[in-house]
Amino acid sequence: MAAPVLLVIAHGSRDPRHAATVHALVERVRAQRPGLRVETGFLDFNVPSVHGVLASLAAEGARDVVALPLLLTRAFHAKSDIPAVLRAAPARLRIRQAEVLGPSPLLLTALERRLYEAGLSPADKSSTGVVLASAGSSDPEAIAVIADIAREWWHTGWCAVRPAFASARLPRTEDAVRELRALGCARVAVAPYVLAPGFLPDRIARGAAGADVLAEVLGPAPEVARLLLRRYDAACHPALQALGA
């Protein structure tokens, strides 16, 4: 019996870097799980659309699909947009919606990878304040998750970790940078908690002008690819969800 198709659902963007990064991540997922069929669909701006991919899969005779939101928090897209698109899918498809990626220890590992790639070292942790800069959301659940991640990450040894948001909520990245300076951190680093470049990540980068280090977006980090496969496996075998990620 064929394994369910993994359909990675990305938001989409007018910025061509967004789709390129999504495709690079999907290629890394394919490399980690040879033989698994992995498709990509976009909610907006880019092609193929989620609807178009689902229609093509049904026409080819596919039966089982795991739809995986390429999202870091459970906000509007995960709770409303994606379920609505999936409900409109061809009736012959059996579709399971996987959980969003965050929170996960793998994402913290990927964030640290990006900071070290940007020039920090593990020896810098105790003297470095970090801004955990996310896109932002009007969803209180999503905002609470970001605050929890910042607290958890701080307990791994950083001088301080402060959340910041590019939209919808305060503080902005530049505000958090100033707060960490005032706190007395020897250096300040900004870690974008976003998956791909685009308008809001660019706003985060502008807000990081006063920081010492700006990390790259998470993108196709190997930890992110592994996390996608964990969410896929948990959707295929719900008992795995209890084991955590």
Side-chain angles (χ1 to χ4, degrees):
M1 183 175 180
V5 176
L6 170 55
L7 172 58
V8 176
I9 300 179
H11 183 274
S13 171
R14 292 186 179 91
D15 189 322
R17 298 173 298 167
H18 174 91
T21 302
V22 170
H23 290 310
L25 174 59
V26 169
E27 284 302 318
R28 177 153 263 169
V29 171
R30 291 186 178 120
Q32 290 190 12
R33 186 72 61 87
L36 174 63
R37 182 170 181 181
V38 186
E39 300 291 342
T40 308
F42 295 91
L43 291 173
D44 207 352
F45 302 116
N46 302 106
V47 292
S49 67
V50 177
H51 175 77
V53 174
L54 291 171
S56 295
L57 289 172
E60 294 173 22
R63 299 290 295 181
D64 290 316
V65 176
V66 170
L68 196 158
L70 198 58
L71 300 169
L72 296 174
T73 59
R74 271 184 52 79
F76 181 78
H77 293 304
K79 295 177 179 179
S80 182
D81 280 359
I82 291 175
V85 172
L86 298 181
R87 284 194 298 270
R92 66 170 289 129
L93 293 175
R94 178 183 178 221
I95 303 175
R96 286 165 277 189
Q97 182 174 332
E99 291 295 324
V100 298
L101 299 181
S104 167
L106 281 171
L107 291 174
L108 290 182
T109 302
L111 285 166
E112 293 205 0
R113 169 190 290 277
R114 293 301 188 226
L115 285 172
Y116 297 151
E117 289 170 349
L120 293 180
S121 73
D124 297 322
K125 289 186 73 167
S126 63
S127 58
T128 300
V130 179
V131 179
L132 180 69
S134 74
S137 173
S138 59
D139 188 302
E141 178 187 348
I143 297 301
V145 166
I146 298 299
D148 288 343
I149 293 169
R151 283 191 292 269
E152 178 182 351
W153 204 15
W154 170 57
H155 287 303
T156 68
W158 295 100
C159 176
V161 179
R162 294 290 186 270
F165 308 97
S167 68
R169 294 294 180 101
L170 296 174
R172 295 286 184 258
T173 302
E174 53 268 33
D175 301 325
V177 169
R178 285 193 292 268
E179 180 184 352
L180 291 171
R181 291 283 187 213
L183 193 62
C185 298
R187 65 185 61 78
V188 175
V190 174
Y193 190 62
V194 294
L195 287 164
F199 176 75
L200 293 178
D202 283 350
R203 180 178 287 176
I204 290 172
R206 290 193 296 272
D212 301 294
V213 173
L214 170 63
E216 294 291 332
V217 299
L218 293 169
E223 297 85 0
V224 179
R226 287 203 298 274
L227 183 54
L228 263 71
L229 289 169
R230 287 193 185 183
R231 295 291 186 251
Y232 168 83
D233 290 338
C236 292
H237 309 286
L240 294 175
Q241 191 65 41
L243 300 178

